[in-house]
Amino acid sequence: MWTIGVDLGGTNLRVGVINEAGQIVIEKSCSTNAEKGPNYVLNQMIQFIEEVKKGMDIHAIGIGSPGPLNPFEGIILEPPNLPGWRNIPLVERVKKATNLPVVLDNDANAAALAEATVGAGKDVNSVFYITVSTGIGGGYVLNKKIVQGAQGNCGEIGNMIVDPAGEGAPGLNKGALEALASGTAIGREGARLLGIKGGAKEVFQLAYEGNETAKQIIDRAVHYLAIGIANIVHTVNPEMIILGGGVMKSGDVILEPLKDKVKDFVYPSLRDSIQIKRAALDQKAGLIGAGLLAQK
Amino acid sequence: MWTIGVDLGGTNLRVGVINEAGQIVIEKSCSTNAEKGPNYVLNQMIQFIEEVKKGMDIHAIGIGSPGPLNPFEGIILEPPNLPGWRNIPLVERVKKATNLPVVLDNDANAAALAEATVGAGKDVNSVFYITVSTGIGGGYVLNKKIVQGAQGNCGEIGNMIVDPAGEGAPGLNKGALEALASGTAIGREGARLLGIKGGAKEVFQLAYEGNETAKQIIDRAVHYLAIGIANIVHTVNPEMIILGGGVMKSGDVILEPLKDKVKDFVYPSLRDSIQIKRAALDQKAGLIGAGLLAQK
């Protein structure tokens, strides 16, 4: 069964046809231009959908979008990454325009499904996917199905408290994982301790060049990420933790110390059995996952 | 289908016949006498099984036991609550003695299954059960099935880090939930701050009589429990949190403040939708759950 995946991002809009194997058959993309408002973006999205489905036997459409959203009613609520969008009945509107069944889920869940199905977790039964970029999000895929949670908030680990004495951030708990270990948090510490304005990217560059303060900022983020991962392990004990998102692209600077730290925080019997892997699909995870959403 | 449930506790051994509705048809129990060793207890267990199954059409046996254990291989590893027990192939031995299929799971998972199936969570689709007594354990039941986790460690929330600056305890992380909010932790703080030796029970009694320090000890445990619960909510967003175990029997002294605190730590959209309930089956949850284990 072929489906259309829509990856509605704050920066880019991608639309593609996804086959049963989770491969992208054809793809269109452009800048989202979210600031031009929902109608503009929706028209662009529907135009792409019409273009890619020409001559194809398409069964359904899956959309991955920044949250918060209501996956059960197909409504985008008020995502910080889509300014000006508020209570948009996205599923209804795309359904009307295309006459196809449409499902909506948040972008982290879509990426989690892609990684668990055709990415780094394709050979295991349970995956907890974590994306570390501007924010921190996640998705839990059990037996190749997304666990939504009762209110669609499964995987919202950015708000997990990992240090009650730690910093907060708007809309997040004091000491929340995202407030302490996201790209934004790393950038904030860079500004505070090093006086730089280049965000997480500059902190990583300085650490790479040997700057001790920059290294400590990254160590601190790794420490909190390790607590967050260990907490997930003791809560659901997934077969594999998969790490995606921009911050993880810094590569082994983060991944190897992180793996070591997680071992310090889990039961001894789990130390050698936990699998922690880098995401395999990179930027394509959202699009592929959106298509896979529609295949369920 | 009727099954036999075995609730192998550190204090009591209960064996019963459980019907399809999760009711106890017949029950036998005695002190476990764990200190007399595995052979003694195993003989008692098998004798009870023979007694209760007389004239009944029994299809399988389910055993709930203190962990750590290996549910996949049916082996009890080295539970602190069963001193001297080590690598006991319990499933194999009970199978041999009874000629019936036997399954083993930890006591918190068994209680979680009972509460989710015929207890406080019987009308919802996903339950995270938390037991707060000497230790803190849990079980996650999704669509009426226990989520085991890859290494059988799903629900091991006692080791979740809720305050990296907090106390530790043997075998647990520094700042682990169990080290900060269990009955043992409350008793330890009672000894330290009030010089009492009566454990959590005495702290609750003193708080009830108006002792401010005792109240603060309980508030602190409630605070950490609330963080733990909020972290679970943001990780798997269960439809209902069910609280069992001895400490929860102190009743509304804990439950109402805990519900309020959890609201402080979750996303606003979740504040009014989270259901937090007291366990409904009390001491019978383990026995009923063990029987239900064998019905799956």
Side-chain angles (χ1 to χ4, degrees):
Chain A
M1 198 174 79
W2 289 18
T3 55
I4 287 175
V6 176
D7 180 13
L8 169 59
T11 310
N12 293 303
L13 170 69
R14 296 173 218 266
V15 176
V17 172
I18 310 298
N19 69 16
E20 300 89 343
Q23 291 160 324
I24 301 171
V25 178
I26 181 173
E27 181 185 349
K28 302 250 170 192
S29 66
C30 65
S31 295
T32 304
N33 292 315
E35 71 288 354
K36 294 191 182 170
N39 284 334
Y40 175 90
V41 178
L42 211 66
N43 285 339
Q44 179 65 68
M45 186 189 296
I46 287 161
Q47 190 190 313
F48 274 170
I49 292 173
E50 295 301 335
E51 285 172 25
V52 301
K53 85 170 183 178
K54 255 177 210 148
M56 305 261 191
D57 183 21
I58 300 296
H59 287 77
I61 297 171
I63 307 175
S65 156
L69 51 78
N70 184 329
F72 310 111
E73 303 192 5
I75 295 169
I76 295 201
L77 298 174
E78 199 176 1
N81 289 334
L82 296 172
W85 291 51
R86 195 180 178 138
N87 298 328
I88 310 293
L90 189 64
V91 163
E92 190 190 305
R93 295 189 56 179
V94 175
K95 202 185 264 179
K96 229 175 233 170
T98 62
N99 273 319
L100 283 169
V102 181
V103 291
L104 171 71
D105 210 327
N106 78 59
D107 43 13
N109 277 358
L113 181 62
E115 288 292 344
T117 310
V118 296
K122 67 178 170 12
D123 297 323
V124 302
N125 290 320
S126 56
V127 160
F128 211 105
Y129 170 82
I130 302 171
T131 170
V132 187
S133 59
T134 316
I136 291 182
Y140 177 38
V141 182
L142 183 62
N143 300 321
K144 309 299 176 191
K145 281 182 204 148
I146 292 172
V147 180
Q148 292 277 2
Q151 284 81 29
N153 281 258
C154 183
E156 291 290 341
I157 53 166
N159 207 19
M160 177 199 285
I161 297 170
V162 291
D163 186 353
E167 290 88 349
L172 292 169
N173 281 315
K174 180 163 158 51
L177 182 58
E178 180 169 318
L180 294 169
S182 63
T184 307
I186 293 170
R188 180 198 63 214
E189 291 301 287
R192 191 171 70 90
L193 298 171
L194 293 163
I196 60 172
K197 289 179 179 170
K201 209 173 169 178
E202 193 172 350
V203 175
F204 277 105
Q205 182 59 38
L206 286 170
Y208 183 77
E209 291 165 7
N211 182 299
E212 284 303 322
T213 304
K215 282 186 197 170
Q216 280 163 17
I217 292 171
I218 292 169
D219 283 351
R220 184 170 177 271
V222 165
H223 171 78
Y224 286 126
L225 273 177
I227 291 179
I229 290 173
N231 284 355
I232 292 167
V233 167
H234 290 124
T235 305
V236 290
N237 186 202
E239 195 168 344
M240 188 182 283
I241 300 272
I242 300 179
L243 295 155
V247 170
M248 293 315 300
K249 282 189 195 135
S250 340
D252 292 349
V253 186
I254 277 212
L255 190 65
E256 292 307 318
L258 182 55
K259 281 184 182 176
D260 284 344
K261 269 260 167 175
V262 170
K263 286 186 186 178
D264 293 344
F265 295 143
V266 296
Y267 281 128
S269 61
L270 294 169
R271 268 167 212 165
D272 295 321
S273 44
I274 294 177
Q275 298 183 61
I276 302 179
K277 296 254 161 99
R278 276 277 301 282
L281 305 171
D282 274 328
Q283 292 165 319
K284 302 291 183 188
L287 179 59
I288 295 169
L292 294 175
L293 277 176
Q295 296 190 355
K296 304 274 164 174
Chain B
M1 198 175 78
W2 289 18
T3 55
I4 287 175
V6 177
D7 180 13
L8 168 59
T11 310
N12 293 303
L13 169 69
R14 296 173 217 267
V15 176
V17 172
I18 311 297
N19 69 14
E20 298 89 343
Q23 292 159 324
I24 302 170
V25 179
I26 181 172
E27 181 184 350
K28 301 251 170 192
S29 67
C30 65
S31 294
T32 305
N33 292 315
E35 71 288 354
K36 294 192 181 170
N39 283 335
Y40 175 90
V41 178
L42 211 66
N43 285 340
Q44 178 66 67
M45 186 189 298
I46 288 162
Q47 191 190 313
F48 274 169
I49 292 172
E50 296 301 336
E51 285 172 24
V52 300
K53 85 170 182 179
K54 256 178 212 149
M56 305 261 193
D57 183 21
I58 300 296
H59 287 76
I61 298 171
I63 307 175
S65 156
L69 52 77
N70 184 330
F72 311 112
E73 303 193 6
I75 294 170
I76 295 201
L77 298 174
E78 199 177 1
N81 289 334
L82 295 173
W85 292 51
R86 195 181 179 136
N87 298 329
I88 310 294
L90 189 63
V91 163
E92 190 191 306
R93 294 190 55 181
V94 176
K95 202 185 265 179
K96 228 175 234 171
T98 62
N99 272 319
L100 283 169
V102 181
V103 291
L104 171 71
D105 210 327
N106 77 59
D107 43 13
N109 277 358
L113 181 62
E115 288 292 342
T117 310
V118 296
K122 67 179 169 13
D123 297 323
V124 301
N125 290 318
S126 56
V127 160
F128 211 104
Y129 170 82
I130 301 171
T131 170
V132 187
S133 59
T134 316
I136 291 182
Y140 177 37
V141 182
L142 183 61
N143 299 322
K144 309 298 176 191
K145 280 181 204 148
I146 293 172
V147 180
Q148 292 278 1
Q151 284 81 30
N153 281 258
C154 183
E156 291 290 340
I157 53 166
N159 207 20
M160 175 197 286
I161 296 169
V162 291
D163 186 353
E167 290 89 348
L172 291 169
N173 281 315
K174 182 164 156 51
L177 182 58
E178 180 170 318
L180 294 169
S182 63
T184 307
I186 293 170
R188 181 198 63 215
E189 291 300 287
R192 191 171 71 89
L193 298 171
L194 292 163
I196 59 173
K197 290 178 178 170
K201 208 172 171 181
E202 193 172 349
V203 175
F204 278 105
Q205 182 58 38
L206 286 169
Y208 182 77
E209 290 165 7
N211 182 300
E212 285 304 322
T213 305
K215 281 186 196 170
Q216 281 162 19
I217 292 171
I218 292 169
D219 283 352
R220 184 170 178 270
V222 165
H223 171 79
Y224 286 126
L225 273 176
I227 292 179
I229 291 172
N231 284 355
I232 292 167
V233 167
H234 290 124
T235 305
V236 290
N237 186 201
E239 196 167 343
M240 188 182 284
I241 300 273
I242 300 178
L243 295 156
V247 169
M248 293 315 300
K249 282 189 197 139
S250 340
D252 293 350
V253 186
I254 279 214
L255 191 64
E256 292 307 318
L258 182 55
K259 281 184 180 175
D260 284 343
K261 269 260 167 178
V262 170
K263 287 187 186 180
D264 293 344
F265 295 143
V266 297
Y267 281 129
S269 61
L270 294 169
R271 267 166 213 166
D272 295 321
S273 44
I274 293 176
Q275 298 184 61
I276 302 180
K277 296 254 161 101
R278 277 275 303 280
L281 305 171
D282 275 328
Q283 292 164 320
K284 302 292 183 188
L287 179 59
I288 295 169
L292 294 174
L293 277 175
Q295 296 190 355
K296 304 274 166 176

